Amino acid sequence: MSLFKTRDWWSVAIGEDEEFDHGCLCIGNIDNNPDNVDKIIIGSFHGILRIYNPHPTKTENGWSGYKVEDVMVEQAFQLPILQIEVGKFSSVTENLQLAVLHPRKLAIYSVKAISGTVEHGQQYQIQKLYEHNLQRTTYNFCYGPFGGIKGKDFICVQSMDGTVSFFEQESFAFSRFLPGALLPGPLKYVPRLDSFITVSSSWHVECYKYQSIAAASQSPGVDETQNIKSGKKIVVDWTFSIGEAALDINVIAFPQAPSSILVLGERNLYCLTEGGLLRYMSKMEFDPCCFLPYGSMTEGTINYIVATTTKSLLVYQDVTLKWAAKVEHCPVQVKVANFQDLKGSIVTLSDDGHLQCSYLGTDPAIFIPPATDARDLNYKAMDAEMEKLQKKIREKAHKAVITPNLKTDDDLQITVHVNQHLDDGSSATNDAQIPGEKVPSITARIVLKAKTLVENIHVDIHTSRPLTSSQHSFTLSSLESGKSTELLVQFYMKYCSLPSTLSAEVSAKYPSATGAPRVATAKIKLPLKLVMKPVFPVKNAEHKLTIDTNKPPVSLNDIFPDLLGENAGSAGAALGFQFFGGPVVTILASKSSQRYRLQCDQFEAMWLPLKDLVGRLTSHLNRGRSGDFKASFDGSLPLQEYFELIEAHFEYRMNAVKCEEMLGQRASQFRVIQRRLLTKFKDKTPSPLQNLDTLLEGTYRQLLALADAIEDNNQAQNNTSDNLSSGTNLLNYLIKLWLDLTEEEFSVLTSVITPIVNDNHQHGWEEMVDAAVTHLLRTVLAKTAKDTSINPAPLTIPSDASKVKKHIALMCDRLGKGCRLIEGLRERSEHKQKLPAPKKMNITENGTINETPESRPVDNIVNMKYNENKKKKKLPPLAGDNISTNMFDSETFGLPVTDIPDGDNFNEKRRQKKIEAIVPNLDDMDNQDDDRNINQTDSQALFAL
Amino acid sequence: MADTLWEDRDVRFDISPQQLRMRSGEKCIDRLDAIEDTKGNNGDRGRLVVTNLRVIWHSLSVPRVNLSIGFNCVINISTKTAQSKIRGTSEALYVLTKCNDTRFEFIFTNLISGSPRLFTSVITVHRAYETSKLYRDLKLRGALIQNKQLRLLPQEQIYDQINGVWNLSSDQGNLGTFYITNVRLVWHANINESFNVSIPYLQMKTIKIRDSKFGLALVVETSTSSGGYVLGFRIDPAEKLQSVAKQIQNLHKVYSHCPIFGVEYDTEDRTPVAEDLPVEPIQDDVDIEHDDQTDAFAAYFADGDKEKDREPVYSEELGLAIEKLKDGFTLSGLWEVLS
């Protein structure tokens, strides 16, 4: 944020691989020179004490900076220096002395100057006045006129375990434990209160009176020692919770400003009164590393500097930011000092020993200089390059649109090879949940190749139900450039339902060199034999599909060489395949006509074989020749069968909703009974439970049963979703063959009637497809301009699936009449005569589209066939108890149905039956009487107590 | 010789091939052949040479375009992202320097991606330079003596120790001890070890025997860049004074011929760098005299077009020292423009 920088006045890099931290920098007139100029005193963790007297001289080139004679003293101690302070630590003089804290020692030194004839002849002597050896490892210390003594400073040393030891100059006074100390925090003395302020590890600012610390001695008669083991608890004067650890505390005693205590937390700065009340706090948007209140420039305010880890110094007046400037190094401590030629200089010390005396720059750094052109430019070469580029542009300009090539070179490439043969030993044996089948598996080899060094690669394998892979994800720590690695994954069928797709996807996620996330993907095509096995063809089946081609028929044995099984010796006119744990699909090839027929008892099961058949025919017949093979579908669209799939799927969705409603009701009932029971138990005069306990037990069992029912329903819904997905794929594919749709149109169709069945609580497949189809009907498929109004309704679960069925039928009708799915395409000749509308249509599309009279006869013709089917297959409409109980019994329906008290007799009966079914019989419960009695007596005994 | 040593103490632009050549004692530590000077020559491939005294960069297409950055001028080295013409956004080396009160900023980008060698070489050599200052800089009142012994530098050997040397910087003189090593001359007072001086031969200008008010004395004059001190020492008897002076003069001569700069850098398993010239000799039939008037440096200013900081003054408003404001500006005015 800061455009300003600090300006260097005097600086020096000190130390050779030494470290510094907060406490290592101190300012003071340590040699008690009468000119009263500040010196900089620095102690390092390596035990070297240095005193500098910065006095650069002004030359015509600016300030001279660091000079050799600026060093006053450099002395190496054998012990690390933790903290240094300047104060009146001597009992004989009021001169300033130096206190140096080592891990187990506190030493006081005086610094004396002996002048010479020249500047470099001046020598300084460091004399040890006294020292205290300490029992505990120290953390920090503070000093001041404890107890209000005049002209002297006493010292309080805090150790790592929170013990404070007091030293009255040469003599030791006493040691005390701070209450609840876990980790030591910053410690400061407040002269006006004669108190100590610290921030404890419980993140409270705490104030202790010196008197109360001194008075808390264990036993009055015993001599005070440092080696204390126990003590009275010190009473805290006040506490203030700041909820974070504190970096530093400073006590404000400027004459113009109200006396306060500033606490720098890790995120905030707090200003407290001496009584421990908050005056103000300022939240910071950066991590502070140290701070220093240095004065009060306006009456009643405090000026302070906060240094941040982002290498900037911020000057505040109370909560107002007055100035900000960047520094070169991140400071661990900041001070303000008055030197010979400069008042108010900012002294900063970084952890690696960069000491700097600086002042605030006032030139904003906003100018970015233009690169100067003093270099020789090779105009010839530039002209040549310019010409070349322009030529390229001209060439490209003729060709269509110039779009930026977004495809950057992928650092990682994925290639997948699927084995030709199924695995010898199936890895599905343990995992697959298909009873009575030996499910095979197939191995795919995934090869990752990196162009540059790629790290942290995360590879995911995505399969769709019921297929699964032996491992779903891999993590590679790194892949060197040019190297490749191989992963082996087995795929197999896990669940007993129909797969709707035979492809899986591999995606690898990795960070690019610049740290941006990148994803590389690859598709895996799995063979049909992974999900189907050859069986003997079945002669009759309920559903039949006939595919016409424009080529003479081929032997099925030729195009399904890998799926012959026991049919290998046959004529090749008929082949049977069975899904593992599923239906048998039979493929028949006509001998005379150019037709193929698929038949199966389950309509949607024909999808994968059909697709595979057409695919194999295409590659077989187009081999080596121009691709003029064409398959077409001439029969009527199997809409009725498709609608049954929708119905089944929708039924489960409705069931799920109802079950959840019921679960909610039962749960609230459970809670109400619990509450009743609790009040009964709490009552002082015991009253009979009035069978509430039985009711509680019953409701509890209902809850469990309902939860199980929801699980079962979910399973069943997943299976119907898979079926619906297969059915949708099949229908779309048939429409494609029927109308000979272009790829583009087909992609529109699949995105409208999507084969991705993904239900959740917000919206499900039916309403999404309905909305999409309705949109098509009102846009590209609209008949008149009047229909084109677009007024999308919110997506809510419909009460029944009739609307979506109606709209799909209408869409097929429109498509059959030659409408195109993409605007601007030529109208197709009508396929009207084959229109396979399922019902008598009386579609009123928002009251605008009326049934078309000319389609009626066709409908009738088509419907004859469907009606037959209906009679065979469809359950008669629900009427009466009989059937509804049947429904409950039938496993597929899982849990019925409704718990809405709608007054409907039928529903009411149904519900009661259901509850009866769920609620365990009370007679059964009586059989467990023994246990219950014991329990009851127990509880009664408890009450008796 | 310190006054002629500019390699580590100056930032120079577009210098002559003679100046690009290694001086005696200067060693090439690392050479990288695909470095872009992102700030001044963006889009130009160049070579970066790290020696024990400086960093040299020169363009590969126009070798006359070059930079020489002495390590003594470096304030800070950091890595940040920069916009390179050749590599796009990439991690780059930022070198902030100050030379004669002018701050320059340099940005170098390694054109070979994924190699941290640029950063490690420059940063570690600079660190080695910073922590070996006693080899090159005059030091007064330092922590030189430990346990009554001179703390030796890694490449240092004591040649002689002479007791009874009087320092003549105060009226009565101080009795002390000389240590004469292959790098420097050290004197310390016997009664106060912290009163001492360490004079590397590098910083010695003259070593003479002169008459003083204390009689004949050994006078060592230090270079102007180190402060131009004149240090007088008396050794009795006169013959000893003569022999010590001779010894120091000879060692100074040896050192000048083959200086030890003390920058030690472990080259690890790096490809051995031949001790050849960093720049292939250019067959220049005409050597054009440069009058050092190029304005190439303008591109490298760290603070816009500012060459020099203004005076510090005390600000009553902030209570801190600030750079003197330009006429017509106020602190609050400047600050409010920003916020």
Side-chain angles (χ1 to χ4, degrees), chain A residues 7 61 69 117 122 294 344, chain B residues 101 103 141 169 171 229 318:
Chain A
R7 299 296 177 204
N61 266 333
E69 68 215 37
T117 43
Q122 187 131 353
Y294 62 89
Chain B
D101 272 343
R103 265 186 288 270
R141 300 183 278 253
S169 62
D171 291 336
Y229 297 99
L318 285 178

Side-chain angles (χ1 to χ4, degrees), chain A residues 302-599:
Chain A
I302 301 163
N303 285 51
Y304 55 90
I305 302 174
V306 179
T308 75
T309 49
T310 49
K311 294 184 184 174
S312 52
L313 292 180
L314 307 172
V315 181
Y316 284 91
Q317 180 167 342
D318 281 354
V319 288
T320 322
L321 185 64
K322 299 292 274 185
W323 202 259
K326 284 262 174 213
V327 281
E328 307 300 348
H329 302 276
C330 181
V332 291
Q333 196 164 11
V334 59
K335 292 278 182 191
V336 172
N338 296 322
F339 298 116
Q340 210 165 7
D341 296 306
L342 187 62
K343 205 178 151 195
S345 169
I346 301 166
V347 184
T348 52
L349 177 70
S350 77
D351 64 341
D352 53 355
H354 287 96
L355 175 65
Q356 193 171 36
C357 298
S358 50
Y359 54 99
L360 300 170
T362 53
D363 272 330
I366 40 179
F367 306 107
I368 295 151
T372 51
D373 287 334
R375 315 275 188 221
D376 291 337
L377 297 174
N378 192 344
Y379 288 105
K380 241 184 190 169
M382 281 165 69
D383 276 344
E385 192 183 352
M386 181 79 173
E387 209 151 286
K388 219 170 91 191
L389 289 173
Q390 270 179 341
K391 202 175 155 197
K392 252 189 192 167
I393 293 170
R394 253 181 273 126
E395 275 170 15
K396 294 275 177 186
H398 294 306
K399 289 176 193 165
V401 228
I402 303 172
T403 47
N405 191 8
L406 282 177
K407 189 163 162 54
T408 49
D409 268 353
D410 285 331
D411 294 334
L412 194 71
Q413 277 186 333
I414 307 180
T415 41
V416 183
H417 310 278
V418 181
N419 274 3
Q420 290 290 315
H421 304 286
L422 296 170
D423 296 344
D424 292 338
S426 172
S427 54
T429 330
N430 298 325
D431 197 31
Q433 297 171 7
I434 303 169
E437 289 280 0
K438 238 187 121 208
V439 183
S441 69
I442 198 160
T443 304
R445 198 155 52 89
I446 301 166
V447 182
L448 301 175
K449 191 167 183 195
K451 275 191 189 152
T452 57
L453 177 80
V454 182
E455 288 179 319
N456 282 329
I457 309 169
H458 191 88
V459 183
D460 283 310
I461 320 280
H462 310 275
T463 51
S464 54
R465 256 178 65 96
L467 293 172
T468 191
S469 56
S470 56
Q471 196 169 348
H472 303 296
S473 67
F474 298 88
T475 308
L476 305 170
S477 59
S478 75
L479 193 56
E480 276 181 47
S481 67
K483 297 273 169 62
S484 61
T485 185
E486 263 188 28
L487 305 168
L488 293 178
V489 182
Q490 283 83 35
F491 290 94
Y492 53 88
M493 226 170 121
K494 183 171 179 184
Y495 302 101
C496 186
S497 70
L498 292 177
S500 63
T501 170
L502 273 176
S503 66
E505 210 170 281
V506 190
S507 68
K509 207 165 61 186
Y510 61 94
S512 70
T514 52
R518 289 266 178 280
V519 176
T521 56
K523 273 223 156 113
I524 306 175
K525 272 197 76 179
L526 300 169
L528 188 65
K529 59 188 170 187
L530 184 65
V531 295
M532 298 187 95
K533 59 180 180 187
V535 291
F536 286 116
V538 176
K539 197 157 193 189
N540 289 315
E542 207 163 312
H543 304 285
K544 295 183 171 83
L545 288 175
T546 310
I547 302 295
D548 295 297
T549 64
N550 58 354
K551 291 274 151 116
V554 283
S555 164
L556 288 176
N557 289 10
D558 293 345
I559 58 172
F560 283 102
D562 53 336
L563 272 168
L564 292 178
E566 292 147 352
N567 303 323
S570 70
L575 284 179
F577 309 122
Q578 186 182 11
F579 280 99
F580 293 106
V584 178
V585 182
T586 306
I587 300 179
L588 305 163
S590 161
K591 284 195 186 90
S592 48
S593 61
Q594 308 173 346
R595 288 182 172 187
Y596 299 88
R597 168 168 289 178
L598 284 93
Q599 53 185 33

Side-chain angles (χ1 to χ4, degrees), chain A residues 675-694:
Chain A
R675 211 176 299 138
R676 283 274 185 92
L677 262 178
L678 199 65
T679 40
K680 277 209 185 292
F681 284 141
K682 268 189 177 172
D683 206 344
K684 279 189 181 132
T685 50
S687 56
L689 296 179
Q690 289 170 332
N691 287 330
L692 274 175
D693 53 341
T694 319

Side-chain angles (χ1 to χ4, degrees), chain A residues 3-5 7 58 61 69 71-72 74 117 122 124 294 321 328 344 359-360 362-363 374-375, chain B residues 14 76 96 101 103 139 141 143 169 171 174 192 194 229 295 303 306 310-311 318 321 323 335 338:
Chain A
L3 288 171
F4 298 105
K5 295 181 177 178
R7 299 296 177 204
K58 214 176 145 185
N61 266 333
E69 68 215 37
V71 184
M72 282 169 62
E74 199 177 283
T117 43
Q122 187 131 353
Y124 298 87
Y294 62 89
L321 185 64
E328 307 300 348
Y359 54 99
L360 300 170
T362 53
D363 272 330
R375 315 275 188 221
Chain B
D14 296 357
N76 197 3
L96 184 67
D101 272 343
R103 265 186 288 270
K139 179 117 195 171
R141 300 183 278 253
S169 62
D171 291 336
N174 274 298
N192 183 8
S194 72
Y229 297 99
D295 57 349
D303 307 312
K306 189 172 173 180
R310 289 186 300 279
E311 276 294 276
L318 285 178
E323 190 178 10
W335 182 245
L338 295 179

Side-chain angles (χ1 to χ4, degrees), chain A residues 257 275 374 712 724 913:
Chain A
D712 292 346
L724 179 59
K913 270 194 191 274

